[in-house]
Amino acid sequence: MQKTYLPKEEDIKRKWFLVDAQDQILGRLASRIAMILRGKHKAIFTPHMDTGDGVIVINASKIKVTGKKLTDKIYQRYSGYPGGQREVTLANMLAKKPETVIMLAVSRMLAKGALSEKVIGKLKVYAGDVHPHAGLKPEKIELVR
């Protein structure tokens, strides 16, 4: 009888990838990043384990969106107090905190739970083209065009 293979923690080889977000479409980029973080691109993918790799995203301020999303897409947050609901458009968010736009897009594509909180910790996003993770020796990859 053949048994299902379950990888052990020492069997999982983790790498770091460098993604340039310049002129990339936000949703397509986020879905590819979520797949890499989760480990679905590997043959040893296991749904209940973190088998994914780390991703460093640079040039987050230079992403593209289609249609009228810059003005129509709204990010909402709520403090829990009366009158505490705040709304920010995508254009304002890209101007002030472009890293947050990619972080939210990727985290919302992952299943909710303790595993996704662990997985999202392997995502590093930077607005410019400089990052402090040269020691990780990230491998530059081209996700989509």
Side-chain angles (χ1 to χ4, degrees), residues 1-6:
M1 177 186 302
Q2 195 171 19
K3 296 195 176 191
T4 303
Y5 172 74
L6 290 176

Side-chain angles (χ1 to χ4, degrees), residues 49-63:
M49 293 180 70
D50 177 17
T51 58
D53 297 322
V55 178
I56 301 167
V57 181
I58 57 174
N59 291 324
S61 60
K62 298 175 183 172
I63 61 165

Side-chain angles (χ1 to χ4, degrees), residues 26-96:
L26 175 62
R28 293 169 191 254
L29 177 71
S31 65
R32 301 304 197 302
I33 291 172
M35 184 183 70
I36 292 172
L37 288 174
R38 192 73 174 84
K40 290 190 171 189
H41 65 294
K42 294 183 176 182
I44 62 167
F45 171 71
T46 308
H48 66 278
M49 293 180 70
D50 177 17
T51 58
D53 297 322
V55 178
I56 301 167
V57 181
I58 57 174
N59 291 324
S61 60
K62 298 175 183 172
I63 61 165
K64 302 285 183 203
V65 290
T66 58
K68 299 190 296 181
K69 291 187 188 84
L70 280 176
T71 56
D72 291 354
K73 184 169 178 60
I74 295 175
Y75 291 95
Q76 295 180 339
R77 64 183 191 277
Y78 181 58
S79 68
Y81 290 97
Q85 184 172 355
R86 303 288 183 257
E87 293 182 346
V88 181
T89 63
L90 178 59
N92 289 341
M93 187 84 96
L94 277 175
K96 293 179 185 174

Side-chain angles (χ1 to χ4, degrees), residues 74-123:
I74 295 175
Y75 291 95
Q76 295 180 339
R77 64 183 191 277
Y78 181 58
S79 68
Y81 290 97
Q85 184 172 355
R86 303 288 183 257
E87 293 182 346
V88 181
T89 63
L90 178 59
N92 289 341
M93 187 84 96
L94 277 175
K96 293 179 185 174
K97 297 187 274 187
E99 302 92 358
T100 309
V101 173
I102 293 182
M103 287 290 282
L104 284 174
V106 172
S107 66
R108 290 174 179 178
M109 288 188 182
L110 296 170
K112 307 303 173 258
L115 184 60
S116 72
E117 290 173 13
K118 183 179 176 184
V119 166
I120 201 73
K122 296 184 297 184
L123 175 63

